Amino acid sequence: TLAAPAIAQAQPTIKWRLASSFPKSLDTIYQAAEDMAKRVKAATEGRFDIRVFAAGEIVPAFGTLDAVQNGTVEITHTASYYFVGKNKAFAFDTALPFGLTARQQNAWTYFGGGMALLRDFYREFNVVNFPGGNTGVQMGGWFRKEIKSLEDIKGLKMRIPGIGGEVFAKLGAVPQAIPGGDIYPSLEKGTIDAAEWVGPYDDEKLGFFKVAPNYYYPGWWEPGPNLSFLINAKEWEKLPQAYKEIVEAACAEANVRMMAEYDAKNPRALASLLSKGAKLHAYPRDVMDAAFKAAQEIYADESGKNPAFKKLYEPWNRFRNESYQWAKVAEQGFATFAFNQKV
Amino acid sequence: TLAAPAIAQAQPTIKWRLASSFPKSLDTIYQAAEDMAKRVKAATEGRFDIRVFAAGEIVPAFGTLDAVQNGTVEITHTASYYFVGKNKAFAFDTALPFGLTARQQNAWTYFGGGMALLRDFYREFNVVNFPGGNTGVQMGGWFRKEIKSLEDIKGLKMRIPGIGGEVFAKLGAVPQAIPGGDIYPSLEKGTIDAAEWVGPYDDEKLGFFKVAPNYYYPGWWEPGPNLSFLINAKEWEKLPQAYKEIVEAACAEANVRMMAEYDAKNPRALASLLSKGAKLHAYPRDVMDAAFKAAQEIYADESGKNPAFKKLYEPWNRFRNESYQWAKVAEQGFATFAFNQKV
């Protein structure tokens, strides 16, 4: 007998809308959602079509979690720490001051028990989460005047959102919440004294070096911020298993590629910024020490009053401690020697 | 009219064999190929079935490139620097002494021009390459006696293959090529004085701490070794586009997950090794300096006589230089402070 030609019920046609929390101008981050959607579509022969909308096109940047939760859209690409106003525990899915680096964040999430804890937390929001990108350690922001010691932080008006802003407040600064597009004129007029954004590649485009040339590192409040794909749990469950597999792989691919893209773009952007007059400074040691202490106080305080935070913080902190002990051996042994060589 | 039910020609059933260069005992590395194959199979509803064989089951560990090239198997999961005997340029796909870290290797390959150069190089081997995992900076090996200065390297019989071994030879050591399973008895009997393997998680299982307790860091000859999936180019071209998309995403997923798994396992393994008597040492500065100098001599020498090496080396070296300049700012600014905190 001849074998019958392989005829099968095709997989269903599915259309999703993805509301990004990012503008197209943050092209490295925004593009990760487009790339993920493109991969899913091509891998399903066009059947599973995720259309990506930039922040504000159909949902405001900070409204995307609500939109996923209530089913207005099926999926968002976001930084979960935008939602710390709902619960500070969202920060574990993105970054915490003096927390995990990009690699450590992946280690914790994929293999260190983090994913199970995050899935538990997200369940009440009707959301399933997948890591979907990272910027690496961000820069520490642009300052109109040089910061020589902790004294110079006091009274400083700085654009810095979230828990990083709370740490700066404990140091005597006055944190400001200002949208990206308003930072430049505010720095120029002196309405604010300092502002943090992302890193060399994204910062250069906004031109801060012209009005606040003192460029500080590191961005200790964001050592490895993870961007997340958050999916409505009911829509996720409706997917055929093969589509779930493809989405999960495509999100992981977006994760590794975004970090790689930033690592390829930032070196030249930093060199360019320095050639245009940006002045590179390390945060003074007393600022680092005071910020570290303030961050641990915030964690202790929040753990005392927020059970969801405490449930994530304790295992996360053990993982952080173990990871730091290991990272300072082989990785740091190499980095401190090699990065200072002329090659 | 009623819409016709979606009936389509199903995608073809394809069976591939993957010859891994790794034994099952290197479980983190070996498993990455199994996970990739599992993802591909599930994403294609079982139609694209890649069966994974450990080193030696159907192809010897170091014969997998030949097997892919001549079509004995369709795909291997390997460390391309195993093939530096054919051409030293293979090392750019894995690691070179004082080369790129795991993140820098991804940056160079995915976004720094590396992939196009590697694909050009692999074309003559009838191979298409995809990054598929990383161990991070490896450890610098186990020594029976403490190494106090460069003098102590002279005459040392050390198990270390590849270009790392060539560097040690320039320093006066006598590099040895010994399979993993023979290292322990050779160290125990004193047939060799030292041996490098991988990192804490893999090293602990082989028990070296019992016979050569001096554990050195960093493994400067492997700062970010990338494992690769190498696919026969004709078999790759035969795949339906949707299968190609799924394979590419699944390889990228294997890449990010292997690094994460090592970063989750190594911290506890290091702590365990120290509790069992391993003695942690940094390589002396004069050893690092001499090794760095020797490595650059090898690169200059090889560039002078191997056009394929030179073609990769020059852009790679520019990328390395730019990456080092950036890495010592935000990442190192954070790491040198944070990793030394008690958290």
Side-chain angles (χ1 to χ4, degrees):
Chain A
T1 60
L2 291 170
I7 302 289
Q9 184 86 22
Q11 292 278 20
T13 296
I14 294 177
K15 287 187 191 297
W16 275 11
R17 298 194 304 171
L18 183 153
S20 173
S21 287
F22 308 103
K24 289 183 181 175
S25 56
L26 278 171
D27 56 344
T28 314
I29 300 180
Y30 173 79
Q31 189 62 34
E34 290 276 16
D35 289 347
M36 188 279 285
K38 189 177 168 197
R39 183 67 84 198
V40 168
K41 188 172 181 178
T44 59
E45 300 181 280
R47 292 192 182 89
F48 187 5
D49 185 0
I50 302 173
R51 187 169 168 199
V52 178
F53 296 88
E57 285 185 7
I58 55 171
V59 179
F62 303 135
T64 67
L65 174 67
D66 288 343
V68 168
Q69 195 178 352
N70 66 30
T72 304
V73 298
E74 291 81 7
I75 177 170
T76 177
H77 189 228
T78 192
S80 302
Y81 67 7
Y82 290 159
F83 311 111
V84 290
K86 294 177 189 285
N87 192 322
K88 269 207 178 73
F90 274 102
F92 291 101
D93 192 31
T94 313
L96 289 143
F98 302 102
L100 306 177
T101 64
R103 274 175 49 182
Q104 291 164 352
Q105 180 74 18
N106 283 334
W108 178 68
T109 307
Y110 291 130
F111 292 97
M115 187 64 100
L117 291 167
L118 290 170
R119 290 276 166 94
D120 270 355
F121 172 72
Y122 275 119
R123 194 162 294 124
E124 69 171 292
F125 296 92
N126 193 30
V127 156
V128 178
N129 66 297
F130 294 95
N134 206 298
T135 66
V137 177
Q138 296 199 356
M139 286 295 288
W142 299 87
F143 291 72
R144 286 164 54 98
K145 291 184 187 161
E146 202 175 332
I147 300 298
K148 293 187 174 155
S149 76
L150 186 55
E151 269 309 303
D152 294 334
I153 297 289
K154 299 203 194 314
L156 203 78
K157 282 176 279 182
M158 179 168 180
R159 184 269 178 194
I160 176 169
I163 302 179
E166 289 184 36
V167 175
F168 267 103
K170 277 185 165 262
L171 269 47
V174 187
Q176 314 276 317
I178 296 176
D182 296 342
I183 298 175
Y184 186 95
S186 302
L187 278 174
E188 189 176 31
K189 282 182 281 185
T191 317
I192 58 174
D193 305 299
E196 65 90 41
W197 187 235
V198 184
Y201 177 75
D202 293 312
D203 290 6
E204 186 178 16
K205 287 187 283 185
L206 297 190
F208 304 138
F209 64 89
K210 292 179 231 165
V211 288
N214 297 290
Y215 198 23
Y216 278 78
Y217 67 91
W220 40 263
W221 52 96
E222 295 176 284
N226 169 64
L227 292 309
S228 296
F229 291 102
L230 304 182
I231 298 175
N232 178 286
K234 283 178 194 158
E235 297 298 330
W236 175 250
E237 284 313 319
K238 281 189 220 165
L239 292 180
Q241 184 60 30
Y243 288 12
K244 288 185 181 175
E245 302 275 346
I246 289 166
V247 168
E248 188 162 359
C251 290
E253 183 183 28
N255 188 11
V256 66
R257 287 179 65 91
M258 188 196 295
M259 186 69 264
E261 190 167 356
Y262 269 118
D263 282 336
K265 287 172 167 176
N266 277 326
R268 288 185 190 188
L270 178 66
S272 171
L273 281 165
L274 295 177
S275 77
K276 290 172 179 169
K279 292 172 196 155
L280 202 55
H281 305 278
Y283 271 108
R285 177 73 198 205
D286 64 348
V287 174
M288 296 293 285
D289 286 336
F292 180 81
K293 183 165 168 281
Q296 314 317 308
E297 287 167 6
I298 289 169
Y299 303 150
D301 182 53
E302 189 69 16
S303 293
K305 64 190 185 195
N306 178 348
F309 188 92
K310 186 179 181 186
K311 188 178 167 193
L312 278 147
Y313 178 72
E314 290 182 351
W316 175 92
N317 195 46
R318 280 194 298 276
F319 189 89
R320 174 170 67 143
N321 183 45
E322 292 171 355
S323 296
Y324 279 10
Q325 298 308 312
W326 161 236
K328 71 184 175 188
V329 178
E331 289 290 335
Q332 282 305 99
F334 180 76
T336 53
F337 175 84
F339 297 167
N340 289 300
Q341 300 301 310
K342 177 83 196 95
V343 291
Chain B
T1 61
L2 291 171
I7 302 289
Q9 184 87 24
Q11 292 280 19
T13 296
I14 293 177
K15 286 187 190 298
W16 275 12
R17 296 193 305 170
L18 184 153
S20 173
S21 286
F22 307 103
K24 289 185 181 174
S25 56
L26 278 171
D27 57 344
T28 315
I29 300 181
Y30 173 80
Q31 189 62 34
E34 290 275 16
D35 289 347
M36 189 280 285
K38 188 177 168 197
R39 182 68 85 196
V40 168
K41 188 172 181 178
T44 59
E45 300 182 280
R47 291 191 182 91
F48 187 6
D49 184 0
I50 301 173
R51 187 168 167 201
V52 178
F53 296 88
E57 285 185 7
I58 55 171
V59 178
F62 303 135
T64 66
L65 175 67
D66 288 343
V68 168
Q69 196 178 351
N70 66 30
T72 304
V73 298
E74 292 81 7
I75 179 170
T76 178
H77 188 228
T78 191
S80 302
Y81 67 5
Y82 290 159
F83 312 112
V84 291
K86 294 176 189 285
N87 192 323
K88 269 207 179 72
F90 275 102
F92 291 102
D93 192 31
T94 313
L96 289 145
F98 302 102
L100 306 176
T101 63
R103 273 175 48 181
Q104 290 164 352
Q105 180 74 18
N106 283 333
W108 178 69
T109 307
Y110 290 130
F111 291 97
M115 188 64 102
L117 292 166
L118 290 171
R119 290 275 166 95
D120 270 354
F121 173 72
Y122 276 119
R123 195 164 292 123
E124 67 171 295
F125 297 92
N126 192 31
V127 157
V128 179
N129 66 298
F130 294 94
N134 206 300
T135 66
V137 177
Q138 296 198 357
M139 285 295 286
W142 299 87
F143 291 73
R144 286 165 52 97
K145 291 183 186 160
E146 202 174 332
I147 300 297
K148 291 187 173 153
S149 77
L150 186 55
E151 270 308 303
D152 296 333
I153 299 287
K154 300 205 194 311
L156 203 77
K157 282 177 280 182
M158 178 167 180
R159 184 271 176 194
I160 176 169
I163 303 179
E166 290 184 36
V167 175
F168 267 103
K170 277 183 167 263
L171 269 48
V174 186
Q176 315 276 317
I178 295 175
D182 297 341
I183 299 175
Y184 186 95
S186 302
L187 279 174
E188 190 175 31
K189 283 182 282 183
T191 316
I192 58 174
D193 305 300
E196 66 89 42
W197 187 235
V198 185
Y201 177 74
D202 293 312
D203 290 7
E204 186 178 18
K205 286 187 284 184
L206 297 190
F208 304 138
F209 63 89
K210 291 179 230 165
V211 287
N214 297 290
Y215 198 22
Y216 278 77
Y217 68 90
W220 40 263
W221 53 94
E222 296 177 283
N226 169 62
L227 292 309
S228 296
F229 291 102
L230 304 182
I231 298 175
N232 179 285
K234 284 179 193 157
E235 296 298 330
W236 173 251
E237 284 314 317
K238 281 190 218 164
L239 292 181
Q241 185 59 32
Y243 289 12
K244 288 184 183 176
E245 302 276 345
I246 289 167
V247 168
E248 189 162 357
C251 290
E253 182 183 28
N255 188 11
V256 66
R257 287 179 66 92
M258 188 197 294
M259 186 69 264
E261 190 167 354
Y262 268 118
D263 281 337
K265 286 172 166 177
N266 277 326
R268 289 187 188 185
L270 179 66
S272 171
L273 281 166
L274 295 177
S275 77
K276 290 172 179 170
K279 291 172 197 155
L280 202 55
H281 305 279
Y283 270 109
R285 177 74 197 204
D286 64 348
V287 174
M288 295 293 284
D289 286 335
F292 180 81
K293 184 165 167 281
Q296 314 316 310
E297 287 167 5
I298 289 169
Y299 303 151
D301 182 53
E302 189 69 15
S303 294
K305 64 189 185 194
N306 179 348
F309 188 93
K310 186 179 181 184
K311 188 179 167 192
L312 278 147
Y313 178 71
E314 290 182 350
W316 175 90
N317 195 45
R318 281 194 298 276
F319 189 90
R320 175 171 66 144
N321 184 44
E322 293 172 356
S323 296
Y324 280 10
Q325 298 308 312
W326 161 236
K328 71 184 176 188
V329 178
E331 288 290 336
Q332 282 305 100
F334 180 76
T336 53
F337 176 84
F339 297 167
N340 290 300
Q341 300 301 311
K342 176 83 196 94
V343 291

